[in-house]
Each structure stands twice: as C-alpha cells, then as structure tokens.
Amino acid sequence: MGGLGVSKIFQATPSPRPGTSLLEQAHARQEHLLQERATIQENREQLPALKLATQKKLQSSQHTHAELTEAIQGGRHDLIPTITAVNQQIARHHGQRQAFANYDSILQEQQEANRQNILREASNIDMLTRLRKRPEPLGCLLYTSDAADEGLGV
C-alpha cells in the first residue's frame, strides 16, 4: 500500500500518565482520536490517485499482452517468456486493485468507528466537566433494613 499510513490508524490509544485526572485522560483520548481521524482522511484522499495509477498500469499491461499475443501468433515464439511475465504483472495489478477496494472498505469502517468514539469521548468530557463544576458534593443517604426495623435514622 506504499505510503498509506495503515500502521498509524491501528495504533493503540496511549496509556495515561500517572496522576492525570479523568478529564485530562478524556482530553488525551479525544486528541488521539482526532489525530486518527486525520490519518484516515489522508489515506482516503490518497486512494483515488493510487487506484487510477494501478488502473493505468493494468491497461498498459493488457495492451502489451495483446501485442505480444499477436506477435506470438505470427511466429515469434521467443516472446513466450515475456508474455508470461506480463501475465504476472496483470495478475499483480488485479490484486492491487482488489486490495485498494478492500482497504477503502476498511477505512470506511474505521472512519465510522472513529466518529462514534469521538462522540462518546465528547460526551465523557461534557459529563466530567459538569461534575467538576458542581458547587458541592452529592450527599448519599444509606438506609438499611436493620435501621428500618429498629426505627433508627442513619
């Protein structure tokens, strides 16, 4: 796949630094997801040019194959090894074309998963920010059945 950043996309989210708050960790995860989104987009933008280049190579190889076939049929049997090599090129170009189609599909799935993860992380950041801004901690009343049986307040 050449210069496509496949390994960049599938890197794990970095581990949080010791002592970082949950909000800081959420921001770090969000930043990682935004970088991942940019890498996915870059790769998706590169694909059409790579597909086109592969298609041109395929067409060129097919044209060469047709010329060689005609020459061999005209008695040029010395070109048989050359046409065998061209057949291998054609097979390789077909494989590359299929690989790009598969990769595009993977990138689409990765892009959707990334979008959902970004939304989830934004929601986490929102919740943690609101919790942090609360003026006082929430109280909790513990009420047990023993206390209820004895009429005691806890």
Side-chain angles (χ1 to χ4, degrees), residues 34-136:
L34 292 172
Q35 290 171 357
E36 182 180 86
R37 179 175 65 183
T39 301
I40 292 168
Q41 189 59 39
E42 287 173 21
N43 288 341
R44 292 207 66 204
E45 289 169 2
Q46 290 175 15
L47 269 177
L50 293 169
K51 286 178 179 180
L52 182 61
T54 299
Q55 185 62 33
K56 287 181 178 180
K57 289 176 186 177
L58 177 60
Q59 289 171 344
S60 175
S61 294
Q62 288 170 333
H63 179 73
T64 302
H65 185 276
E67 289 177 344
L68 288 170
T69 299
E70 191 175 308
I72 290 170
Q73 289 172 348
R76 295 281 318 270
H77 298 290
D78 59 311
L79 296 175
I80 291 175
T82 305
I83 202 167
T84 301
V86 170
N87 283 336
Q88 292 171 348
Q89 284 179 340
I90 290 171
R92 187 171 53 252
H93 296 318
H94 277 296
Q96 286 174 339
R97 192 167 62 175
Q98 184 59 49
F100 286 137
N102 293 345
Y103 187 55
D104 191 32
S105 176
I106 290 168
L107 286 174
Q108 287 174 14
E109 291 173 9
Q110 189 71 19
Q111 191 172 38
E112 179 56 25
N114 175 267
R115 185 187 70 76
Q116 291 174 7
N117 288 336
I118 288 172
L119 291 174
R120 185 173 30 258
E121 212 53 63
S123 175
N124 289 342
I125 289 170
D126 181 55
M127 178 195 62
L128 290 168
T129 301
R130 282 189 281 133
L131 285 174
R132 199 177 220 192
K133 290 180 180 179
R134 288 189 87 81
E136 58 188 60

